[in-house]
Amino acid sequence: MSGTAGFDRHITVFSPEGRLYQVEYAFKAINSANITCLGLVGEDSSVIISQKSVPDKLLDAKTITYLFSISKSVGMLATGSIADGRSLAMRARSESAEYKYKYGYEMPIDALAKRMANLSQIYTQRAYMRPMGVSLMFISVDDELGPSLFKSDPAGYFYSAKATSTGPKQQEVTTALERAYKKKKTDGEYLTKGNWEKVVEFGIITLKL
């Protein structure tokens, strides 16, 4: 008898071990694209870097992207199912536009990340929905928070970070980032100093490890 024993047929059914298999499948879908990405916060900038994979040689590479502009001040990177990523990008743009219409100013990155995480959590508790197989990163240079980086996952968990990664090589990249942060901690709060170009250069070098 299978270990899942039918507990993966519905999102809202827990296994005897307290696991939600549909949510775990959503996390596995993030790695199915075989793309590793990372986000970094610099002194005056925040960047997201992603690999690019074109599944078919006949496709126009210019049309393949995981990067989305949500508002004038917020950018988003989706890792996993590109269809789910586009869907959430449209929802994030809608939430941001509605917020600006209601309050008269751009939606702060922390409020947007929290809202999108809340929506992801709702997808895990309604039988007529399914968890989105995508992890999101948001970046912005916020008026109050400064350079910011937020990450959310299919389970609805979100957090702010100085550096983070997603994808099949997430553990290796995270270990490299932690090692670099520990080594440069005496130089300041950030992994690398200087303009955004140096932050991007550091991120690309780390991603190649």
Side-chain angles (χ1 to χ4, degrees), residues 37-73:
C37 61
L38 61 84
L40 293 168
V41 175
E43 285 184 286
D44 58 359
S45 62
S46 54
V47 302
I48 40 181
I49 303 170
S50 176
Q51 297 174 325
K52 188 169 186 176
S53 175
V54 181
D56 193 329
K57 293 182 179 179
L58 298 178
L59 297 179
D60 183 358
K62 296 178 182 178
T63 64
I64 308 298
T65 181
Y66 293 87
L67 298 169
F68 303 91
S69 175
I70 304 303
S71 66
K72 291 183 179 180
S73 59

Side-chain angles (χ1 to χ4, degrees), residues 4-30:
T4 59
F7 294 106
D8 61 345
R9 296 183 181 179
H10 298 282
I11 294 173
T12 55
V13 177
F14 283 90
S15 73
E17 295 82 20
R19 298 169 63 181
L20 285 174
Y21 288 104
Q22 288 288 342
V23 178
E24 292 184 16
Y25 295 158
F27 276 93
K28 289 181 180 179
I30 295 174

Side-chain angles (χ1 to χ4, degrees), residues 18-148:
R19 298 169 63 181
L20 285 174
Y21 288 104
Q22 288 288 342
V23 178
E24 292 184 16
Y25 295 158
F27 276 93
K28 289 181 180 179
I30 295 174
N31 296 331
S32 65
N34 199 29
I35 292 176
T36 303
C37 61
L38 61 84
L40 293 168
V41 175
E43 285 184 286
D44 58 359
S45 62
S46 54
V47 302
I48 40 181
I49 303 170
S50 176
Q51 297 174 325
K52 188 169 186 176
S53 175
V54 181
D56 193 329
K57 293 182 179 179
L58 298 178
L59 297 179
D60 183 358
K62 296 178 182 178
T63 64
I64 308 298
T65 181
Y66 293 87
L67 298 169
F68 303 91
S69 175
I70 304 303
S71 66
K72 291 183 179 180
S73 59
V74 179
M76 189 189 88
L77 169 64
T79 307
S81 169
I82 185 59
D84 288 354
R86 289 182 180 276
S87 175
L88 290 180
M90 291 288 289
R91 183 59 187 266
R93 287 168 180 164
S94 175
E95 293 289 338
S96 180
E98 184 177 347
Y99 186 98
K100 185 176 181 180
Y101 177 79
K102 185 176 182 179
Y103 297 106
Y105 60 94
E106 295 288 345
M107 190 175 192
I109 183 174
D110 56 331
L112 178 60
K114 182 178 181 180
R115 175 59 178 163
M116 296 306 295
N118 287 341
L119 291 173
S120 295
Q121 201 281 326
I122 291 174
Y123 294 156
T124 69
Q125 62 186 32
R126 301 289 175 85
Y128 56 87
M129 296 177 174
R130 67 167 177 82
M132 294 290 192
V134 64
S135 176
L136 305 178
M137 286 188 195
F138 298 92
I139 59 168
S140 175
V141 179
D142 192 79
D143 293 336
E144 295 182 3
L145 302 176
S148 304

Side-chain angles (χ1 to χ4, degrees), residues 27 104 111 121 150-151 189 199:
F27 276 93
Q121 201 281 326
F150 283 81
K151 179 182 177 182
E189 188 179 358
V199 180

Side-chain angles (χ1 to χ4, degrees), residues 163-201:
T164 187
S165 64
T166 306
K169 295 184 179 180
Q170 175 180 344
Q171 188 58 50
E172 292 90 331
V173 174
T174 301
T175 300
L177 291 171
E178 290 175 348
R179 192 183 306 116
Y181 180 75
K182 184 177 181 180
K183 182 179 179 181
K184 297 185 178 182
K185 193 172 182 180
T186 55
D187 297 334
E189 188 179 358
Y190 303 104
L191 284 169
T192 181
K193 291 189 175 183
N195 56 23
W196 66 270
E197 294 177 343
K198 291 186 177 180
V199 180
V200 171
E201 181 182 359

